[in-house]
Amino acid sequence: MSTTAIPVPDPVEGRAPIPDPAEGSTTRGPQRAFGVAQLVEALPGALIKLNPAALWRNPVMFLVWVGAALTTLIAIAEPFLGGPEASGGTAVPAGFTWGIAVWLWLTVLFANLAESVAEGRGKAQASALRQTRTTTSARRVVGYDASSDAAATAASIVEAPSADLTLGDVVVVTAGELIPGDGDIVWGIATVDESAITGESAPVVRESGGDRSAVTGGTRVLSDRIVVRITSKPGETFVDRMIALVEGASRQRTPNEIALNILLASLSIVFVIVVLAMNPIASYAASPVSIPVLIALLVCLIPTTIGALLSAIGIAGMDRLVQRNVLAMSGRAVEAAGDVTTLLLDKTGTITYGNRRATDFVRMPGVPADDLARAASLSSLADPTPEGTSVVELAAAQGVVATLPDGAVSVPFTAQTRMSGLDLPDGTQVRKGAGSAVLAWLEASDAAPSTSLRAQLVSETDAIAASGGTPLVVATLRQAQGPGEAGSATGTVLGVVHLKDVVKDGLRERFDELRAMGIRTVMITGDNPLTAKAIAAEAGVDDFLAEATPEDKLALIQREQEGGNLVAMTGDGTNDAPALAQADVGVAMNTGTSAAKEAGNMVDLDSDPTKLIDIVRIGKQLLITRGALTTFSLANDIAKYFAIIPAMFMGVFPGLAALNVMQLSSPASAVTSAIIFNALVIIVLIPLALRGVRYRAASASATLSRNLVIYGLGGVIAPFIGIKLIDLVVSLIPGF
């Protein structure tokens, strides 16, 4: 198989500060929370939602719909039956009942509009995704045998529509072709254009046998040839699931939403009983209250504001994740992210940039600097890894440029030897690797270093490890060639290469913010405890788990959960699947295996593990937005109660005049003004519901205190001001 080398930008040299989600930067670009165009587009959907069959799941707004329908019937019947005065009630201005009916319908419409606008943004994204879902011709391999020719012969390939592919089918995809379905690469390596899914224009490398083997249907292969095993059924591809989720078609109400709906329904029932009890009291005072006024009073007292915005808040929370290229499989996952108390983060690629770089050569006593640099460079010439390249670059920076001699044999790194190097034509062997492995290699040839040199070497490697680096020992071994010297060898430990993981810029500040939120951060790494401790201290995490295995990760999550914590983690490999499934928030990388994506409840399309921090912030923003607007809604009800009740009954009970602090012009004006304000406040709060309350890192008590002041006190004051201003306008209408 031939492959095309793809230049990969150096993540250390080209690193950029981590974006802060509070600034609003997104992969797909920021969207306006609310605009005239969105309002017009959402209006037809809002009108359709006036159907009571679509409203009954929202008990508060369903009650408003019933009140609007009943008021409309009364308004139609009034010319034939007479107004309230016909039954001994207080006379009302002409058109009063129709006015109340219209504003009740507008209240329901505005609530539907909030939800429709939120859904509309998801539908626009789903439409773009739907354009990537095409039926292509797939080349299916018949009787594929992984033990035979992995490239699949032409005789074993049949053409088939991609829609006919089933779970387990194997297909061949070459440069320029679309991948016909979701799957895992079982042979080959290729560059793939995933811009249709992720929005990123840069191609990515996908290969078999690792944690970057998953491919998505509808993406295009740019180079080489791969064999893919299909892992999805027709109609159940990753893109299909994305479309359903961003459209809101499969967005189920979360437990918190259900609990809040039950609370709102209970409050509504209580207010129904209270309002029904008012008419007998007024009738006893020879001043019965008309049904439209009672309905208006009920609608103003029940928590219509949060009832109208609750669904939009949930949809907008998932939409904010989609804007950052994170797909949440359920609203429950977004809420859980807001309640997370423990964050598990992989070191490599999350806390550090992932590619260790040579930063220094540490010489052993008596070894010339150029000898160490030349040997280290020679041992790395055939090493294509970023670490090997950085060793060659460091030597060149010190003026030592080594060339590969003719006849030299490269020795690749293996997990068994834990070394790599070069065998030179003159019999000299150069090795670079873990200290224990290099010492064992020398001892096997009876060329072990002296006790003092060994102690010096151990001291240097421990110091590098303690500083967060990775030590690689460089040594040479030369078999004696002279007469009488057969079987003897000379080994020389030249020194140590200091490899260092570079901690990403801005992480310490981010971890400080998480700590202020009450979130504990734990770094997970396969490094030894000394290295892990040093990097954890540099990055600013609270704790670390060194030499971690998949079983260790799972056990750590279970211990945290048993202690009452909610845990979030990221992963991309099949070995991460158990931990992702166990975590309360499991974020799988899109580049990872299908097993990882199936186990997690979120998928990051950009495969950026640091985005887990952003996900937690978005989850907290969702919960804070819901809590803030619930506080505002309940505070509104208290203010409206003091606005309406005194104006309605002070004629019967003069003592209530002292509570008419707004000095509303008349009972009819008070009721009309309150019902108008009740409807308009929904429209005013739609942008806030979609954008979310700005989140600031703070303790729960500080956040609660701040929201009580802003949204609690604000919710009490706003109706007094708004209703009074509306009353001044309404009182200009004759009869009011």
Coordinates of all heavy atoms in Angstrom, one line a residue, residues 608-670:
D608 N -11.9 17.5 20.3 CA -11.0 18.4 21.1 C -11.4 18.1 22.6 O -12.4 18.6 23.1 CB -11.3 19.9 20.8 CG -10.5 20.8 21.7 OD1 -9.6 20.3 22.5 OD2 -10.8 22.0 21.7
P609 N -10.5 17.3 23.3 CA -10.9 16.9 24.7 C -11.0 18.1 25.6 O -11.8 17.9 26.6 CB -9.7 16.0 25.1 CG -9.1 15.5 23.8 CD -9.3 16.7 22.8
T610 N -10.4 19.2 25.4 CA -10.5 20.3 26.3 C -11.9 20.9 26.2 O -12.3 21.7 27.1 CB -9.5 21.4 25.9 OG1 -9.7 21.9 24.6 CG2 -8.1 20.9 26.0
K611 N -12.7 20.5 25.2 CA -14.0 21.1 25.1 C -14.9 20.6 26.3 O -16.0 21.2 26.5 CB -14.6 20.7 23.8 CG -15.7 21.7 23.3 CD -16.2 21.3 21.9 CE -15.2 21.6 20.9 NZ -15.8 21.3 19.5
L612 N -14.5 19.6 27.0 CA -15.3 19.1 28.1 C -15.5 20.2 29.1 O -16.5 20.3 29.8 CB -14.5 18.0 28.8 CG -15.2 17.3 30.0 CD1 -16.6 16.8 29.6 CD2 -14.3 16.1 30.5
I613 N -14.5 21.1 29.3 CA -14.6 22.3 30.2 C -15.8 23.2 29.7 O -16.6 23.7 30.5 CB -13.3 23.0 30.3 CG1 -12.2 22.1 30.8 CG2 -13.4 24.3 31.1 CD1 -10.8 22.7 30.8
D614 N -15.8 23.4 28.4 CA -16.9 24.2 27.8 C -18.3 23.6 28.0 O -19.3 24.3 28.3 CB -16.7 24.5 26.3 CG -15.4 25.2 26.0 OD1 -14.9 25.9 27.0 OD2 -14.9 25.2 24.9
I615 N -18.3 22.3 27.9 CA -19.6 21.6 28.0 C -20.1 21.7 29.4 O -21.3 22.0 29.6 CB -19.4 20.1 27.7 CG1 -19.1 19.9 26.2 CG2 -20.6 19.2 28.1 CD1 -18.7 18.5 25.8
V616 N -19.3 21.7 30.4 CA -19.7 21.9 31.8 C -20.2 23.3 32.0 O -21.3 23.5 32.6 CB -18.5 21.6 32.8 CG1 -18.9 22.1 34.2 CG2 -18.1 20.2 32.8
R617 N -19.6 24.3 31.4 CA -20.1 25.7 31.5 C -21.4 25.8 30.8 O -22.3 26.5 31.4 CB -19.1 26.6 30.8 CG -17.7 26.7 31.5 CD -16.7 27.5 30.8 NE -17.2 28.9 30.7 CZ -16.7 29.9 31.5 NH1 -15.8 29.6 32.4 NH2 -17.1 31.1 31.4
I618 N -21.6 25.2 29.7 CA -22.9 25.3 29.0 C -24.0 24.6 29.8 O -25.1 25.1 29.9 CB -22.8 24.7 27.6 CG1 -21.9 25.5 26.7 CG2 -24.2 24.5 27.0 CD1 -21.6 24.9 25.4
G619 N -23.7 23.5 30.4 CA -24.7 22.8 31.3 C -25.1 23.6 32.5 O -26.2 23.7 32.8
K620 N -24.1 24.3 33.1 CA -24.4 25.2 34.2 C -25.2 26.4 33.8 O -26.1 26.8 34.5 CB -23.1 25.6 34.9 CG -22.4 24.5 35.7 CD -21.3 25.0 36.6 CE -20.8 23.9 37.5 NZ -21.8 23.4 38.5
Q621 N -24.8 26.9 32.6 CA -25.6 28.0 32.1 C -27.1 27.7 31.8 O -28.0 28.5 32.1 CB -25.0 28.5 30.8 CG -25.6 29.8 30.2 CD -25.0 30.2 28.9 OE1 -24.7 29.4 28.1 NE2 -24.9 31.5 28.7
L622 N -27.3 26.4 31.3 CA -28.7 26.0 31.2 C -29.4 26.0 32.5 O -30.6 26.5 32.6 CB -28.7 24.6 30.5 CG -30.0 23.9 30.5 CD1 -31.0 24.6 29.6 CD2 -29.8 22.4 30.0
L623 N -28.8 25.4 33.5 CA -29.5 25.3 34.8 C -29.7 26.6 35.4 O -30.8 26.9 36.0 CB -28.7 24.4 35.7 CG -28.5 22.9 35.3 CD1 -27.7 22.1 36.3 CD2 -29.9 22.2 35.1
I624 N -28.7 27.5 35.3 CA -28.8 28.8 35.9 C -29.9 29.7 35.2 O -30.7 30.4 35.8 CB -27.5 29.6 35.9 CG1 -26.6 28.9 36.9 CG2 -27.6 31.0 36.1 CD1 -25.1 29.4 36.8
T625 N -30.0 29.5 33.8 CA -31.0 30.2 33.1 C -32.4 29.8 33.5 O -33.3 30.6 33.7 CB -30.8 30.0 31.6 OG1 -29.5 30.4 31.2 CG2 -31.8 30.7 30.7
R626 N -32.6 28.5 33.6 CA -33.9 28.0 34.0 C -34.2 28.5 35.4 O -35.4 28.9 35.7 CB -33.9 26.5 34.0 CG -35.2 25.8 34.3 CD -35.1 24.3 34.3 NE -34.8 23.8 33.0 CZ -34.2 22.6 32.8 NH1 -33.9 21.9 33.9 NH2 -33.9 22.2 31.6
G627 N -33.3 28.4 36.3 CA -33.5 28.9 37.7 C -33.8 30.4 37.8 O -34.7 30.8 38.5
A628 N -33.0 31.1 37.0 CA -33.2 32.6 37.0 C -34.6 33.0 36.5 O -35.3 33.9 37.1 CB -32.1 33.3 36.2
L629 N -35.0 32.4 35.4 CA -36.3 32.8 34.8 C -37.4 32.2 35.6 O -38.5 32.8 35.6 CB -36.4 32.3 33.3 CG -35.4 33.0 32.4 CD1 -35.6 32.5 31.0 CD2 -35.6 34.5 32.5
T630 N -37.2 31.1 36.3 CA -38.3 30.6 37.2 C -38.4 31.6 38.4 O -39.6 31.9 38.8 CB -37.9 29.2 37.8 OG1 -37.8 28.3 36.7 CG2 -39.0 28.7 38.7
T631 N -37.3 32.1 38.9 CA -37.4 33.1 40.0 C -38.1 34.3 39.5 O -38.9 34.9 40.2 CB -35.9 33.4 40.4 OG1 -35.3 32.2 40.9 CG2 -36.0 34.5 41.6
F632 N -37.7 34.8 38.3 CA -38.4 36.0 37.7 C -39.9 35.8 37.6 O -40.7 36.7 37.9 CB -37.7 36.3 36.4 CG -38.2 37.6 35.8 CD1 -37.6 38.8 36.1 CD2 -39.3 37.6 34.9 CE1 -38.0 40.0 35.5 CE2 -39.7 38.8 34.3 CZ -39.1 40.0 34.6
S633 N -40.3 34.6 37.1 CA -41.7 34.4 36.8 C -42.5 34.4 38.1 O -43.6 35.0 38.2 CB -41.8 33.0 36.1 OG -43.2 32.7 35.9
L634 N -42.0 33.7 39.2 CA -42.7 33.6 40.4 C -42.7 35.0 41.1 O -43.8 35.4 41.7 CB -42.0 32.6 41.4 CG -42.1 31.2 40.9 CD1 -41.4 30.2 41.9 CD2 -43.5 30.7 40.7
A635 N -41.7 35.8 41.0 CA -41.7 37.1 41.5 C -42.7 38.0 40.8 O -43.3 38.9 41.4 CB -40.3 37.7 41.4
N636 N -42.8 37.8 39.5 CA -43.8 38.5 38.7 C -45.2 38.3 39.2 O -46.0 39.2 39.3 CB -43.7 38.0 37.2 CG -43.0 39.0 36.3 OD1 -43.6 39.8 35.6 ND2 -41.7 38.9 36.3
D637 N -45.5 37.1 39.5 CA -46.8 36.7 40.0 C -47.2 37.5 41.3 O -48.3 37.9 41.5 CB -46.9 35.2 40.2 CG -46.8 34.4 38.9 OD1 -47.0 35.0 37.9 OD2 -46.4 33.2 39.0
I638 N -46.2 37.6 42.2 CA -46.4 38.3 43.4 C -46.8 39.8 43.1 O -47.7 40.3 43.7 CB -45.2 38.2 44.3 CG1 -44.9 36.8 44.7 CG2 -45.3 39.1 45.6 CD1 -43.6 36.6 45.5
A639 N -46.0 40.4 42.2 CA -46.2 41.8 41.9 C -47.6 42.0 41.2 O -48.3 43.0 41.5 CB -45.1 42.3 41.0
K640 N -47.9 41.1 40.3 CA -49.2 41.2 39.6 C -50.4 41.0 40.6 O -51.5 41.6 40.4 CB -49.3 40.2 38.5 CG -48.4 40.6 37.3 CD -48.5 39.6 36.1 CE -47.7 38.3 36.4 NZ -47.6 37.4 35.3
Y641 N -50.2 40.2 41.6 CA -51.2 40.0 42.6 C -51.5 41.3 43.3 O -52.7 41.7 43.4 CB -50.8 39.0 43.6 CG -51.7 38.7 44.7 CD1 -52.7 37.8 44.6 CD2 -51.6 39.4 45.9 CE1 -53.6 37.5 45.6 CE2 -52.5 39.1 47.0 CZ -53.5 38.2 46.8 OH -54.4 37.9 47.8
F642 N -50.5 42.0 43.7 CA -50.7 43.3 44.3 C -51.2 44.4 43.4 O -51.7 45.4 43.8 CB -49.4 43.8 45.0 CG -49.1 43.1 46.3 CD1 -48.2 42.1 46.4 CD2 -49.7 43.5 47.5 CE1 -48.0 41.4 47.6 CE2 -49.5 42.9 48.7 CZ -48.6 41.8 48.7
A643 N -51.0 44.2 42.1 CA -51.5 45.2 41.1 C -52.9 45.0 40.8 O -53.7 46.0 40.7 CB -50.7 45.0 39.8
I644 N -53.4 43.8 40.8 CA -54.8 43.5 40.3 C -55.8 43.5 41.5 O -56.8 44.2 41.4 CB -54.8 42.2 39.5 CG1 -54.0 42.3 38.3 CG2 -56.3 41.9 39.1 CD1 -53.9 41.0 37.5
I645 N -55.5 42.7 42.5 CA -56.5 42.5 43.5 C -57.0 43.8 44.2 O -58.2 44.0 44.3 CB -55.9 41.5 44.6 CG1 -55.6 40.2 44.0 CG2 -56.9 41.4 45.8 CD1 -56.8 39.5 43.4
P646 N -56.1 44.7 44.6 CA -56.6 46.0 45.2 C -57.5 46.8 44.3 O -58.5 47.3 44.7 CB -55.3 46.7 45.6 CG -54.3 45.7 45.7 CD -54.6 44.7 44.7
A647 N -57.1 46.8 43.0 CA -57.9 47.6 42.0 C -59.2 47.0 41.8 O -60.2 47.7 41.6 CB -57.1 47.7 40.7
M648 N -59.3 45.7 41.8 CA -60.6 45.0 41.6 C -61.6 45.1 42.7 O -62.8 45.2 42.5 CB -60.3 43.5 41.3 CG -59.7 43.2 39.9 SD -59.3 41.4 39.7 CE -60.9 40.7 40.0
F649 N -61.1 45.0 44.0 CA -62.0 44.9 45.1 C -62.0 46.1 46.0 O -62.7 46.1 47.0 CB -61.6 43.7 45.9 CG -61.8 42.4 45.2 CD1 -60.8 41.7 44.6 CD2 -63.1 41.9 45.0 CE1 -61.0 40.5 44.0 CE2 -63.3 40.7 44.3 CZ -62.3 40.0 43.8
M650 N -61.2 47.2 45.7 CA -61.2 48.3 46.7 C -62.6 49.0 46.7 O -62.9 49.7 47.7 CB -60.1 49.3 46.4 CG -60.2 50.0 45.0 SD -58.7 51.0 44.8 CE -59.1 51.7 43.2
G651 N -63.4 48.9 45.6 CA -64.7 49.5 45.7 C -65.6 48.8 46.7 O -66.5 49.4 47.3
V652 N -65.4 47.4 46.8 CA -66.2 46.6 47.8 C -65.6 46.7 49.2 O -66.3 46.8 50.2 CB -66.3 45.2 47.3 CG1 -67.1 44.3 48.2 CG2 -66.8 45.1 45.9
F653 N -64.2 46.6 49.2 CA -63.5 46.6 50.5 C -62.6 47.8 50.4 O -61.4 47.8 50.0 CB -62.7 45.3 50.7 CG -63.5 44.1 50.6 CD1 -63.5 43.3 49.5 CD2 -64.4 43.7 51.6 CE1 -64.2 42.1 49.4 CE2 -65.1 42.6 51.6 CZ -65.1 41.8 50.5
P654 N -63.0 49.0 50.9 CA -62.3 50.2 50.8 C -60.9 50.1 51.5 O -60.0 50.8 51.1 CB -63.1 51.3 51.6 CG -64.5 50.7 51.4 CD -64.4 49.2 51.5
G655 N -60.7 49.2 52.4 CA -59.4 49.1 53.1 C -58.3 48.7 52.1 O -57.1 48.9 52.4
L656 N -58.7 48.0 51.0 CA -57.7 47.6 50.0 C -57.1 48.7 49.3 O -56.1 48.5 48.6 CB -58.3 46.6 49.1 CG -58.7 45.2 49.6 CD1 -59.4 44.3 48.6 CD2 -57.5 44.5 50.2
A657 N -57.7 49.9 49.3 CA -57.2 51.1 48.6 C -55.7 51.4 49.0 O -54.9 51.9 48.2 CB -58.1 52.3 48.8
A658 N -55.4 51.1 50.3 CA -54.0 51.3 50.7 C -53.0 50.5 50.0 O -51.8 50.9 49.9 CB -53.9 51.1 52.2
L659 N -53.4 49.3 49.4 CA -52.5 48.5 48.7 C -52.4 48.8 47.2 O -51.6 48.2 46.5 CB -53.0 47.0 48.8 CG -52.9 46.4 50.3 CD1 -53.4 45.0 50.3 CD2 -51.5 46.5 50.9
N660 N -53.3 49.7 46.8 CA -53.2 50.1 45.3 C -52.1 51.1 45.1 O -52.3 52.3 44.8 CB -54.6 50.7 44.9 CG -54.7 51.0 43.4 OD1 -53.9 50.4 42.6 ND2 -55.6 51.8 43.0
V661 N -50.9 50.7 45.3 CA -49.7 51.6 45.3 C -49.5 52.1 43.9 O -48.8 53.2 43.8 CB -48.5 50.8 45.8 CG1 -48.6 50.5 47.3 CG2 -48.2 49.6 45.0
M662 N -49.9 51.5 42.9 CA -49.7 52.0 41.5 C -50.7 53.0 41.1 O -50.6 53.6 40.0 CB -49.7 50.8 40.5 CG -48.4 50.0 40.6 SD -48.3 48.8 39.3 CE -49.3 47.5 40.0
Q663 N -51.8 53.1 41.9 CA -52.8 54.1 41.6 C -53.4 53.8 40.2 O -53.5 54.8 39.3 CB -52.3 55.5 41.7 CG -51.9 55.9 43.1 CD -53.1 55.8 44.1 OE1 -54.1 56.4 43.9 NE2 -52.9 55.1 45.2
L664 N -53.7 52.6 39.9 CA -54.3 52.2 38.6 C -55.6 52.9 38.4 O -56.4 53.1 39.4 CB -54.4 50.7 38.4 CG -53.1 50.0 38.6 CD1 -53.3 48.5 38.4 CD2 -52.0 50.5 37.5
S665 N -56.0 53.3 37.2 CA -57.1 54.2 37.0 C -58.4 53.5 37.2 O -59.4 54.2 37.7 CB -57.1 54.7 35.5 OG -57.1 53.7 34.6
S666 N -58.6 52.2 37.0 CA -59.8 51.6 37.2 C -59.6 50.1 37.2 O -58.6 49.6 36.8 CB -60.8 51.9 36.0 OG -60.4 51.3 34.8
P667 N -60.6 49.3 37.7 CA -60.4 47.8 37.8 C -60.3 47.3 36.3 O -59.4 46.4 36.1 CB -61.7 47.4 38.4 CG -62.2 48.5 39.3 CD -61.8 49.7 38.5
A668 N -61.0 47.8 35.4 CA -60.9 47.3 34.0 C -59.5 47.6 33.4 O -58.9 46.7 32.8 CB -62.0 47.9 33.1
S669 N -59.0 48.7 33.7 CA -57.7 49.1 33.2 C -56.6 48.3 33.9 O -55.6 47.8 33.3 CB -57.4 50.6 33.5 OG -56.1 50.9 33.1
A670 N -56.8 48.0 35.2 CA -55.8 47.2 36.0 C -55.7 45.8 35.4 O -54.7 45.2 35.2 CB -56.2 47.1 37.4

